[in-house]
Amino acid sequence: MKKVTAIAPANIALIKYWGMRDEEFTLPANPSISMTLRECVSTCTVAARDDGATEDEVLWVDIGGRVGSAPPWLRSGVVRQVERLRQYVGKTVALRIATSNSFPTGAGMASSASGFAALTMAVGSFLGGPSTGDTLSRLARLSGSGSAARSLLGGFVEWPGSADDPDSPARQLFAAGHWPLCDVVAVVDPMPKSISSREGHRRAPGSPYFARRQELLPARAERVWRAVGDRDFDRFAEAVEEEAIDLHLIAMSARPPCFYWQPATLAVLQAVRMLRGEKANVCATIDAGPNVHVLCLPAEVPRLSHVLSRVAGVHSIIVDRIGEGPRFVDEHLF
Ligand code: PMV
């Protein structure tokens, strides 16, 4: 039986997409830049249903390898995206789809980005539609997780989404080999976050500081881009941390507010500051969740992991690094 399996990595945003210009087409309020990871991945296997059923079957494979029906919230998002892809390609076949994540799901670690990237690739390819390129980038974005478009590429990635070309696809700025940064994630809470990114995007413009953020972003994005280009960690760290705090300032000052941080989030930020004070090449960023991504040069990983694992309230540590992007494999989930 024909099966297609795609593996797509999570990404961590350096300049964050926060707020939507258009919800129906998932057009962002601002351009974003991310770093694609290597070990934190989603896998998706697709085949045609062979039991005559006309509905899609959606399976979830947990970290221990146990296969079960996907929970309703996951199933509905998957089925909507599959329907979109079927319509695009013009086919009607019912599918069996299984997905899994190698890391905590829904905790602000881009599991929807990697999940929808893998799903869009696997289903697109299975149906004979696009499996790479700009069309795939646009289709992945329509899943509702705009950052999924960035998970289709490796290295440092930009999703332009600017006012003059809001529909632009994501594009690679630098390949992974350009600067082999690591990402040590301090997992403060592995459980799904209480306020989805989608809801956060909706609330963002309600912050009195949202308009000011839009004014500041172009210069900050350029600072990140140049620092990566020059492999200048100090300049990189300054711009990335500024951006992370800014995003959460907007989230916390939205009406109603989105508080993603927990006490241990702040404790990790303090530990990172302490290390920076000792001249370590480390800096922190946080997506829509309580977990802290500490970006660093490879030499810092042992000490950093040790320090972070001793911070009170840190549940676990995930050591990851920049990755080459998604791929198709011959090992299937079912
Ligand atoms: O792509 P979404 O809808 O999951 O939103 C991503 C939001 C952030 O992770 C906070 C920022 C980003 O650019 O990834």
Side-chain angles (χ1 to χ4, degrees):
M1 187 204 295
K2 177 182 166 188
K3 292 180 189 175
V4 174
T5 298
I7 298 184
N11 67 77
I12 175 66
L14 308 171
I15 294 290
K16 321 269 186 194
Y17 149 47
W18 200 238
M20 282 182 281
R21 193 182 300 282
D22 180 305
E23 187 163 339
E24 189 187 349
F25 295 102
T26 321
L27 300 176
N30 62 274
S32 54
I33 299 177
S34 58
M35 179 177 113
T36 298
L37 301 181
R38 189 186 172 92
E39 307 296 339
C40 290
V41 295
S42 297
T43 303
C44 178
T45 296
V46 180
R49 288 201 71 159
D50 56 1
D51 54 4
T54 51
E55 273 198 349
D56 296 321
E57 180 181 22
V58 184
L59 302 169
W60 169 249
V61 185
D62 71 16
I63 289 189
R66 285 172 294 266
V67 184
S69 291
W73 63 267
L74 179 66
R75 185 177 194 284
S76 59
V78 168
V79 169
R80 260 200 312 275
Q81 178 69 349
V82 170
E83 194 43 43
R84 198 173 280 123
L85 294 164
R86 251 191 310 249
Q87 277 183 17
Y88 180 83
V89 178
K91 296 210 171 132
T92 51
V93 56
L95 301 176
R96 168 169 293 135
I97 297 145
T99 63
S100 72
N101 287 342
S102 67
F103 60 104
T105 301
M109 292 178 58
S111 57
S112 53
S114 54
F116 280 120
L119 175 75
T120 307
M121 280 175 71
V123 174
S125 163
F126 184 84
L127 296 175
S131 54
T132 57
D134 291 356
T135 305
L136 196 74
S137 182
R138 293 194 174 92
L139 286 168
R141 187 191 81 205
L142 291 176
S143 66
S145 173
S147 54
R150 299 193 312 242
S151 273
L152 294 171
L153 297 160
F156 294 92
V157 178
E158 181 190 39
W159 176 24
S162 54
D164 48 339
D165 186 12
D167 190 35
S168 48
R171 63 187 180 107
Q172 186 181 65
L173 294 175
F174 300 97
H178 169 76
W179 202 21
L181 291 184
C182 293
D183 180 5
V184 179
V185 189
V187 180
V188 164
D189 187 349
M191 298 308 286
K193 58 194 179 231
S194 54
I195 305 170
S196 68
S197 319
R198 195 155 192 86
E199 182 56 24
H201 291 301
R202 279 185 196 130
R203 292 185 194 179
S207 162
Y209 311 109
F210 184 73
R212 180 68 182 136
R213 168 171 167 75
Q214 302 306 312
E215 289 168 7
L216 295 171
L217 272 173
R220 191 181 295 147
E222 181 160 347
R223 279 162 62 206
V224 167
W225 178 74
R226 284 189 188 284
V228 172
D230 297 344
R231 301 185 194 90
D232 181 329
F233 197 89
D234 285 342
R235 275 162 46 214
F236 175 81
E238 194 181 80
V240 164
E241 287 197 344
E242 199 176 292
E243 167 64 358
I245 302 306
D246 211 53
L247 171 106
H248 286 272
L249 185 141
I250 301 294
M252 289 183 208
S253 57
R255 315 274 195 262
C258 308
F259 282 93
Y260 288 113
W261 291 13
Q262 295 184 11
T265 309
L266 202 54
V268 172
L269 291 179
Q270 274 173 333
V272 172
R273 256 168 213 278
M274 183 204 77
L275 287 168
R276 283 268 294 286
E278 295 169 8
K279 304 275 177 255
N281 288 308
V282 300
C283 70
T285 187
I286 311 169
D287 275 351
N291 304 317
V292 185
H293 292 249
V294 187
L295 307 176
C296 64
L297 296 181
E300 307 286 1
V301 170
R303 176 161 72 128
L304 177 60
S305 308
H306 178 73
V307 169
L308 296 183
S309 61
R310 291 164 65 100
V311 174
V314 169
H315 171 274
S316 53
I317 300 286
I318 298 174
V319 178
D320 208 335
R321 60 194 158 120
I322 194 165
E324 311 281 350
R327 62 191 193 277
F328 289 100
V329 295
D330 289 330
E331 247 172 66
H332 306 295
L333 290 174
F334 59 83

